Amino acid sequence: MTAYRRLVVVLGATGLIGSQVAALLADRDIRLRLVASREPPRLTGRAETETAAADLTAQDQVASAVAGADAVFHLVARHDGARAWRVAEGDDTGERVNVGILIDVLAAIRRARPVVVFAGSTSQSGAAGRIDGTEPDRPASLYDRQKLAAETALMRATSDGLVRGVSVRLPTVYGCRPDGAERGVVSAMVRRALTGEPLQMWGDGRMKRDLLHARDAAGALVAALDHAGTLAGRHWVVGTGRPVPVATLFGLVARTVGEHTGRRPVPLRSVPPPAHATSGDFLDVEIDASRFTAVTGWSPRVELDEGLAETVANALRPSLAPCCTSTR
């Protein structure tokens, strides 16, 4: 008799984080279903892999995507790519993607208490300073309120015994997508520097951010699956614990691009904050992931200078070249 191989579904498998999660899982003895808005590339490895393109805003396609799943990674999010991780007021699609899809996932999965790993955001708390996951939640942006609503639904389903839900709240994640699409402030600044444009920072750029490479974010999410029995029923924050001021980050981007192109680093410029800025944009953030590490043994491995060099090198590749994806 053939041994049962559990089915793990990755929703958002072509994204910045999803592509890295898929690469890590491809080397496991599982059945792996990769789902995205366009059909994901097939991966080689021990896993028996299937791929599917789906419009997850359609309830029936959500049900098909997660049918038979023993575990689901929910890595789908709606945000304004031009304005990083935020949603424009009145964007009904944002509510549907950031909240509605998870509600549909919870309604569709039928196996006994499957694991659902949700990619949340450390900004959901609205807190400043050192964050360890015990802070009360006071989200400042619409995006964070939507992420919190989805997470709350997942925790309620866990309390009801329907699933084993784990929310991993991520800080600013950077790296490269397989399709080369820009996502987040780091990629946007790399592209600006490559075209010779000054890097514009809001105010003096002193606010600190905890930057986590996409490979390390993926490692934390997979660790959450492996330790779901202990982690289920609450959220956990992850990060490097080594925040840097935005001005320092932008200076590193400019210098790294200069090193790769042989050009003088582009200058930094201070500009007034735009109208869509929220109070959370000006808070210092330092993530204390010790609680998550104590359970899982996870720790970040990619240093910021290494990750930035890799991101810049990928941005200089021809558009059809493969992205930097690791199965370490």
Side-chain angles (χ1 to χ4, degrees):
M1 179 180 296
T2 303
Y4 179 77
R5 303 171 82 190
R6 65 175 176 167
L7 173 61
V8 180
V9 177
V10 180
L11 304 180
T14 59
L16 173 62
I17 300 171
S19 58
Q20 299 286 355
V21 169
L24 290 174
L25 294 173
D27 209 32
R28 297 191 170 197
D29 187 20
I30 59 174
R31 291 178 295 146
L32 180 60
R33 182 182 298 156
L34 307 178
V35 183
S37 57
R38 62 187 180 285
E39 188 156 344
R42 286 193 170 273
L43 301 175
T44 58
R46 296 171 63 203
E48 177 187 327
T49 304
E50 61 178 287
T51 61
D55 175 9
L56 296 177
T57 62
Q59 189 174 23
D60 61 330
Q61 294 196 37
V62 173
S64 297
V66 301
D70 297 287
V72 177
F73 284 88
H74 189 285
L75 311 178
V76 182
R78 164 76 172 183
H79 52 84
D80 184 343
R83 297 191 297 182
W85 298 97
R86 62 188 79 240
V87 176
E89 295 290 342
D91 182 354
D92 294 337
T93 304
E95 179 75 17
R96 169 61 196 147
V97 174
N98 294 332
V99 184
I101 290 177
L102 181 58
I103 300 297
D104 289 346
V105 168
L106 296 175
I109 43 186
R110 292 288 182 264
R111 300 192 68 85
R113 299 189 68 221
V115 175
V116 177
V117 179
F118 175 73
S121 171
T122 56
S123 59
Q124 286 173 225
S125 70
R130 193 168 183 83
I131 298 173
D132 66 4
T134 62
E135 304 75 20
D137 290 319
R138 299 186 181 93
S141 73
L142 177 58
Y143 176 79
D144 288 325
R145 291 193 294 272
Q146 290 174 349
K147 295 292 281 187
L148 182 58
E151 183 185 274
T152 299
L154 177 60
M155 296 303 109
R156 187 181 304 118
T158 301
S159 296
D160 291 343
L162 303 176
V163 299
R164 287 170 288 161
V166 183
S167 176
V168 180
R169 293 189 179 182
L170 303 169
T172 302
V173 177
Y174 72 101
C176 58
R177 287 168 54 113
D179 58 6
E182 284 187 17
R183 285 295 183 270
V185 65
V186 173
S187 292
M189 292 304 109
V190 166
R191 292 293 179 187
R192 281 180 177 270
L194 286 172
T195 58
E197 299 178 58
L199 305 188
Q200 297 180 341
M201 58 188 180
W202 300 350
D204 59 15
R206 290 183 182 178
M207 50 280 202
K208 294 181 179 180
R209 293 292 178 267
D210 196 315
L211 292 125
L212 187 66
H213 194 275
R215 282 202 300 277
D216 285 330
L221 291 162
V222 172
L225 170 65
D226 293 340
H227 297 84
T230 303
L231 300 175
R234 58 163 291 185
H235 68 261
W236 304 78
V237 297
V238 298
T240 66
R242 299 185 298 276
V244 297
V246 170
T248 300
L249 169 64
F250 285 11
L252 287 171
V253 169
R255 190 175 71 221
T256 304
V257 169
E259 290 171 351
H260 279 72
T261 61
R263 301 196 300 258
R264 177 176 297 182
V266 298
L268 309 188
R269 287 186 183 167
S270 175
V271 299
H276 62 258
T278 69
S279 59
D281 292 313
F282 305 97
L283 301 177
D284 289 342
V285 177
E286 179 182 351
I287 309 302
D288 177 0
S290 59
R291 298 171 190 271
F292 184 80
T293 298
V295 175
T296 66
W298 173 90
S299 62
R301 301 183 184 182
V302 182
E303 296 293 336
L304 182 57
D305 56 353
E306 174 193 352
L308 288 178
E310 184 181 85
T311 303
V312 171
N314 183 73
L316 288 166
R317 295 171 186 261
S319 60
L320 296 180
C323 182
C324 40
T325 302
S326 170
T327 58
R328 63 171 174 82

